[in-house]
Amino acid sequence: MRLLAALVAAMFAVVAMAADPSLAAGGKQPAKALNPLEQPMMFSVVRSGAGYCEPNCPEWIYGEGQIVAGTPAAFRQILRAAGDRKLPLLIVSPGGNVMAALEMGRLVRKLGIEVEVSATRFIACSPRQADCAPNGPDKGQYLGIAFSAGAFCWSACPLILAAGEKRYSSQWAHTGVHQITTVYARERVYFKERYRIVNGKKKVISRKVLKRKNAGTQSSTKLPKSTRTALLSYFKEMGIKKKLLDAMLSTPPDQIRRLEPEEMLQLGLISELTSSDTLADPERCAARQRPDHCVIRNAAPTTIIVPQGKPGNPT
C-alpha cells in the first residue's frame, strides 16, 4: 500500500434545489429596484388618516412587496411592534418565495389574523423612504388610507391570503396564480483529497474543500414531489380545495390566471367578497359592535355637567 496526496483539479458541479422554491414572479431581486413591488416585502403599522373617524379609527398592518426568505421574520418583527393589538393584515404582492409564504401563512392562521387584498396610500411619505418619519399618534405608526381598487395578490401571495381567519377581497381587487418555478443553484467545488490504493482500488482518507464558486442557476416548472406534498398539506390545514393547485399548474409561469370572485369563494380562498374596502373602513368604527382594531387615541376629556345644588357640587 502507498499513501498518495493529490490536488483534484477536476471540478465537479453540485446541483442542488434552491433552499426556497419560488414562483416566477418572485425571482432574483435586482440590486437597486426602484419599484417597491420589486423589493422585499415591507411591513408597517398604519392608522387611518381619515380625520372624521378620530378619536376612534381603524389600525392595520400593511405588507407590500416581494415575498422572500426573510419575510416571515419581518412579519414577526412588525407583530412585536404592534404589541397586544390584534391588527388585520392588508397585503399587496406580486408573489415570490413559496416556502416563506407557507411559513408566514401558518403564523397568520395561528394568531387568528384577518387578511384583505388592499393597498395603502400613506398620508405624508412612504416608509420605504429613508427620511420618512412615522406620523401617527402611536410610536412607529404611519397615517394612511386603504384602497382595494387595483390592489393585487399574485403568485405565492394567495397562499398568505388563504391563511386569514377571515379573508376578504373586493370586486375591484385582483388575485391570481400560475405555475411554480423551482430554481436550482449550481456550484463548482474545488477540493484537496488524500487517498490510499488498497488492492488496486482507491480508498479516500480525507477531503478538504479549498473554495466554492457560483456556477449559475437553472430553473424548471416541473413540480417536485416534496413541493406538491407541502402545498396539499397546507391547503388541507387552511380548508382550501385542491383545485387551487390545478389552477396554478394550468397557467404558464410568465402569465397570471386571475381567479374570479365566485371561484375564490368556492375554493375557500376568501370568506367574503365585498363591494369596497372592509377591514380599514373608518365607518366600521362608528358601529355599535365595532372591530377590535378600532383603537381610541388622543380622546378629548369628557366633561360632566352636574346641576347646581346637588351634594358635592361647588356653587
Side-chain angles (χ1 to χ4, degrees):
M1 295 185 301
R2 13 178 224 165
L3 179 64
L4 301 176
L7 174 62
V8 180
M11 302 171 293
F12 66 95
V14 178
V15 181
M17 187 171 70
D20 306 306
S22 61
L23 299 182
K28 186 177 180 181
Q29 300 297 314
K32 293 182 179 179
L34 299 178
N35 186 340
L37 293 173
E38 294 178 353
Q39 300 180 48
M41 183 168 286
M42 184 175 187
F43 296 98
S44 307
V45 176
V46 187
R47 181 177 178 84
S48 176
Y52 66 86
C53 61
E54 292 295 356
N56 188 10
C57 290
E59 297 182 355
W60 63 90
I61 292 173
Y62 179 51
E64 175 191 81
Q66 293 272 356
I67 303 166
V68 298
T71 296
F75 186 57
R76 288 186 177 91
Q77 185 176 359
I78 202 68
L79 289 174
R80 289 193 291 271
D84 296 334
R85 290 167 290 171
K86 187 177 179 181
L87 303 182
L89 172 65
L90 273 58
I91 190 169
V92 170
S93 173
N97 189 299
V98 173
M99 294 306 174
L102 298 184
E103 181 182 349
M104 181 175 163
R106 287 189 169 99
L107 181 57
V108 166
R109 178 58 64 90
K110 179 181 178 181
L111 298 177
I113 295 173
E114 296 180 316
V115 183
E116 182 173 7
V117 180
S118 183
T120 294
R121 180 178 294 109
F122 293 95
I123 296 298
C125 55
S126 169
R128 289 189 184 276
Q129 298 171 338
D131 58 348
C132 183
N135 58 345
D138 193 38
K139 182 180 178 180
Q141 188 181 71
Y142 296 85
L143 293 176
I145 300 294
F147 63 99
S148 61
F152 59 90
C153 181
W154 293 342
S155 196
C157 178
L159 298 175
I160 297 176
L161 173 62
E165 182 71 17
K166 291 183 179 179
R167 307 166 299 283
Y168 300 92
S169 177
S170 83
Q171 57 184 329
W172 311 111
H174 309 277
T175 298
V177 295
H178 58 185
Q179 287 179 334
I180 294 175
T181 299
T182 304
V183 180
Y184 296 85
R186 295 178 58 86
E187 185 180 56
R188 287 191 177 93
V189 181
Y190 299 81
F191 60 93
K192 183 177 182 179
E193 190 177 81
R194 289 168 58 87
Y195 60 90
R196 295 178 187 272
I197 300 298
V198 181
N199 298 327
K201 295 183 179 181
K202 178 179 176 181
K203 182 179 181 180
V204 176
I205 298 174
S206 65
R207 177 180 290 171
K208 180 180 179 181
V209 175
L210 300 179
K211 67 176 180 178
R212 299 175 183 272
K213 186 177 181 181
N214 185 2
T217 60
Q218 289 182 338
S219 61
S220 172
T221 56
K222 183 178 179 180
L223 188 66
K225 184 177 179 180
S226 59
T227 306
R228 177 186 291 272
T229 300
L231 287 171
L232 292 178
S233 176
Y234 183 80
F235 291 166
K236 185 176 180 180
E237 288 178 50
M238 304 304 163
I240 306 300
K241 293 186 178 180
K242 297 179 182 179
K243 287 184 178 180
L244 178 58
L245 182 58
D246 296 334
M248 296 167 67
L249 297 179
S250 65
T251 308
D254 59 345
Q255 300 177 23
I256 287 290
R257 157 93 146 75
R258 186 188 175 189
L259 300 173
E260 296 299 327
E262 291 300 323
E263 185 180 13
M264 289 192 288
L265 287 169
Q266 292 171 2
L267 291 171
L269 189 58
I270 60 173
S271 54
E272 184 176 337
L273 178 67
T274 63
S275 58
S276 61
D277 306 290
T278 298
L279 294 177
D281 182 5
E283 295 292 338
R284 298 184 71 197
C285 296
R288 178 169 297 180
Q289 294 183 334
R290 54 181 178 266
D292 293 337
H293 62 277
C294 291
V295 183
I296 298 177
R297 298 189 184 279
N298 299 332
T302 301
T303 302
I304 301 177
I305 301 176
V306 181
Q308 290 188 0
K310 294 289 185 180
N313 185 60
T315 58

